[in-house]
Amino acid sequence: MAFYDLPKSERAALAMTIQKHIADELVEGVYEKSLPYFADKDTYIRKSAYLSVGELYATRTDLRPAILRMLNIFLADPDFKLRQTAINAAGEIGKRDFDTVRHFFDKGLFDPHHSPRNAVIGSIKKMGEVNPRPVLMWAKEYLHHQNKEIRREICHGIELRGRKHPEEILPLLRELQHDRTARVRNTLVHVLGQIAYKKNCLLKVLLHLKDWENHQLVKDVLKEIIDVHSRYRNFAALTQHEAITLIEAHYPDRRP
């Protein structure tokens, strides 16, 4: 039975069982039960496993070396689900202690399977939201990587921090303004649009864009911002009309 097919009380009990099994096996140094949790076909079983690891790392300092040893073993496993869950677990740890687990993301960025790579993006988002300084410093190192997918993934990964603190990631996004790869460029436009519709963000984005040299890209971003205020009108801080008015006040020469 899938995790979310269970009643709420049984889900809570199963999550506690998963954490206990993992804790016991960390002490013993065997992973007969932990490994199947990390590789389970059910996303939510895997999520319970990596959340358990994050909680154990925070509350059981005595287990930290054993946790890192287990995650490093799983990161090298042929099963992409094990690698994916190990990276997600590292992301939970990185909310507090990024430097200890940064090598999971250095390696995960280049994983041959998309799932571990997506886990890196997700981890950047959740770590960057609560522990931004080391995460953004790490991300900056990959902004000009020769692999276009790395540049795109980093751009996507820092988006969530920008939704509340755009001033922290706009300088990083600026470095991608001349990227010639369509996928990177499209992701950049998308990310700026996703930031701009959030509360207190549009004006900061508009002012920052004034110093960008790629004027065609800026035009495309302004178009995306207007469009996103329609697509996300039920969630946007401003109406589309208010967004257009603000844009035209700062870009009077803008053409539709």
Side-chain angles (χ1 to χ4, degrees), residues 233-248:
R233 55 187 172 274
N234 294 330
F235 310 100
L238 301 175
T239 66
Q240 187 184 50
H241 177 73
E242 289 170 334
I244 292 172
T245 299
L246 192 58
I247 289 171
E248 290 182 344

Side-chain angles (χ1 to χ4, degrees):
M1 182 177 289
F3 187 81
Y4 269 94
D5 289 337
L6 298 171
K8 184 176 181 180
S9 60
E10 291 185 31
R11 294 200 302 270
L14 177 56
M16 290 181 63
T17 297
I18 290 172
Q19 184 173 116
K20 183 180 186 306
H21 286 163
I22 292 173
D24 290 345
E25 292 196 336
L26 285 168
V27 173
E28 298 166 5
V30 295
Y31 313 119
E32 291 179 359
K33 295 178 179 177
S34 301
L35 190 152
Y37 290 141
F38 269 66
D40 199 281
K41 64 180 181 180
D42 188 332
T43 300
Y44 296 102
I45 295 293
R46 301 200 303 275
K47 184 174 182 179
S48 289
Y50 72 69
L51 290 177
S52 292
V53 168
E55 186 173 343
L56 288 169
Y57 190 90
T59 59
R60 293 282 304 273
T61 56
D62 59 308
L63 290 179
R64 289 181 178 180
I67 288 171
L68 294 172
R69 186 160 52 249
M70 179 185 72
L71 294 182
N72 277 302
I73 290 171
F74 289 172
L75 184 65
D77 197 273
D79 186 340
F80 74 85
K81 294 190 295 298
L82 271 174
R83 303 196 303 275
Q84 176 194 41
T85 313
I87 292 168
N88 278 320
E92 294 300 313
I93 295 169
K95 291 178 179 179
R96 304 174 182 84
D97 187 6
F98 177 77
D99 288 339
T100 298
V101 292
R102 66 166 289 164
H103 67 281
F104 285 87
F105 314 113
D106 287 324
K107 186 172 182 179
L109 273 176
F110 301 94
D111 197 280
H113 196 280
H114 66 86
S115 291
R117 297 198 304 270
N118 287 341
V120 173
I121 296 174
S123 293
I124 294 171
K125 287 183 176 182
K126 65 188 179 186
M127 292 185 299
E129 194 170 18
V130 296
N131 189 18
R133 184 175 176 81
V135 176
L136 294 180
M137 288 178 63
W138 173 84
K140 188 173 182 179
E141 296 178 15
Y142 286 100
L143 281 174
H144 300 290
H145 194 275
Q146 61 183 4
N147 186 322
K148 61 186 179 183
E149 279 303 304
I150 300 300
R151 303 194 302 274
R152 187 192 68 80
E153 288 165 1
I154 292 297
C155 180
H156 191 189
I158 62 178
E159 173 192 315
L160 193 59
R161 181 65 180 176
R163 293 185 179 194
K164 292 183 178 178
H165 302 279
E167 66 280 356
E168 294 182 11
I169 75 158
L170 285 168
L172 277 67
L173 296 178
R174 189 179 191 274
E175 295 191 26
L176 294 171
Q177 66 175 307
H178 296 297
D179 200 298
R180 296 182 178 182
T181 302
R183 279 174 59 80
V184 178
R185 187 183 187 281
N186 292 342
T187 300
L188 176 60
V189 170
H190 167 80
V191 166
L192 286 164
Q194 292 297 303
I195 293 169
Y197 82 87
K198 294 297 183 178
K199 185 178 180 180
N200 298 325
C201 287
L202 178 55
L203 181 58
K204 292 178 181 179
V205 172
L206 294 178
L207 292 175
H208 201 275
L209 289 173
K210 280 183 171 291
D211 293 329
W212 290 30
E213 297 90 9
N214 190 335
H215 299 302
Q216 183 56 55
L217 178 71
V218 171
K219 289 180 180 179
D220 292 341
V221 172
L222 296 179
K223 182 178 178 181
E224 172 66 12
I225 289 172
I226 291 171
D227 188 53
V228 84
H229 276 82
S230 174
R231 298 200 311 268
Y232 293 87
R233 55 187 172 274
N234 294 330
F235 310 100
L238 301 175
T239 66
Q240 187 184 50
H241 177 73
E242 289 170 334
I244 292 172
T245 299
L246 192 58
I247 289 171
E248 290 182 344
H250 290 276
Y251 295 85
D253 297 328
R254 185 189 70 86
R255 294 291 181 268

